[in-house]
Amino acid sequence: MAGLIRYDRIKTTEARARAIRGQTEKLISIAIKGHLAAQEHLASVVSDEEKAQQILAFARRGRFSLDKQVYSNEDRADQGKPPLTDKGRKFLEKKLKDRREELLRIISDEEEAEEALQTAYEAMVIELHARRRILKSLPDELVVKKIFDELAPRYAGRSGGYTRITKLGRRLGDAAEMAQIALV
């Protein structure tokens, strides 16, 4: 299955092709359902498709909140964190300021932006659940990444039939029926 997803097509025996076809289609279906559920959840708060994608891309870069601030060294000591140098403090303050401005460029109202960001994190959790379900069956993270990044958006409007088996004839040597299984 990993080879099929990684290379989009493989040549194998017909029996193996038939065996992996059902499993591969189930995994792609799980990815599509997870991807669409995450998009629907985000669309319930952010109606503009372009803004929703920008918010999701922003959320994928790490946890952030508009309420986040850089604490003093005394407060950091109370929290069990190491103290910051002046250079480190300026760096963190600039980073938070830039992230805040970037978020407010996407959605100008602070309350709406915070709610949209929280919903984006929830959408990421929905998609993560689907990723983990696939990782149980197919423990190759690069292949799972390809399923979600390329295949799920490609097959989002399709209800099944993601693979095609083409018979190639008999193999020399043991005369096994050969077939090519490919992603449509």
Side-chain angles (χ1 to χ4, degrees):
M1 287 190 304
L4 171 62
I5 294 167
R6 182 177 286 134
Y7 302 115
D8 286 346
R9 66 184 70 232
I10 56 171
K11 184 178 170 183
T12 185
T13 62
E14 189 176 340
R16 262 196 201 148
R18 290 182 192 274
I20 66 170
R21 177 184 215 168
Q23 293 172 329
T24 303
E25 293 205 5
K26 284 178 189 173
L27 295 181
I28 293 173
S29 293
I30 290 170
I32 290 170
K33 288 175 185 171
H35 182 73
L36 291 177
Q39 283 183 338
E40 288 174 14
H41 185 70
L42 186 57
S44 68
V45 174
V46 182
S47 58
D48 184 14
E49 179 77 24
E50 185 178 330
K51 284 185 179 182
Q53 293 305 318
Q54 290 175 348
I55 289 287
L56 194 57
F58 180 86
R60 284 194 170 126
R61 288 188 289 161
R63 292 294 286 178
F64 177 76
S65 171
L66 290 172
D67 299 332
K68 198 166 185 176
Q69 62 182 0
V70 180
Y71 294 105
S72 67
N73 283 338
E74 293 82 25
D75 291 338
R76 289 179 64 84
D78 292 342
Q79 296 171 356
K81 295 180 180 178
L84 289 173
T85 62
D86 289 337
K87 188 175 181 180
R89 179 173 305 287
K90 286 179 185 175
F91 173 78
L92 282 178
E93 287 172 349
K94 182 180 182 326
K95 180 179 171 184
L96 289 177
K97 181 182 173 216
D98 291 345
R99 300 251 2 231
R100 178 185 178 84
E101 288 173 359
E102 183 181 351
L103 179 60
L104 292 177
R105 258 186 261 125
I106 298 170
I107 297 178
S108 57
D109 184 37
E110 286 190 18
E111 290 180 15
E112 288 178 17
E114 187 69 37
E115 182 182 8
L117 188 59
Q118 186 61 36
T119 305
Y121 290 135
E122 292 167 3
M124 287 171 47
V125 169
I126 292 169
E127 197 170 285
L128 178 66
H129 175 67
R131 281 180 189 265
R132 287 182 176 164
R133 285 181 57 196
I134 293 172
L135 276 168
K136 279 185 193 177
S137 302
L138 193 65
D140 188 342
E141 291 181 19
L142 293 175
V143 172
V144 174
K145 181 174 173 31
K146 181 176 179 180
I147 290 174
F148 276 90
D149 293 347
E150 294 178 27
L151 301 182
R154 183 192 321 172
Y155 298 132
R158 196 175 182 122
S159 61
Y162 312 119
T163 58
R164 177 182 299 132
I165 296 177
T166 308
K167 293 182 180 184
L168 299 175
R170 296 194 174 271
R171 178 168 56 193
L172 295 176
D174 63 355
E177 285 288 335
M178 295 301 290
Q180 178 183 32
I181 182 168
L183 295 173
V184 178

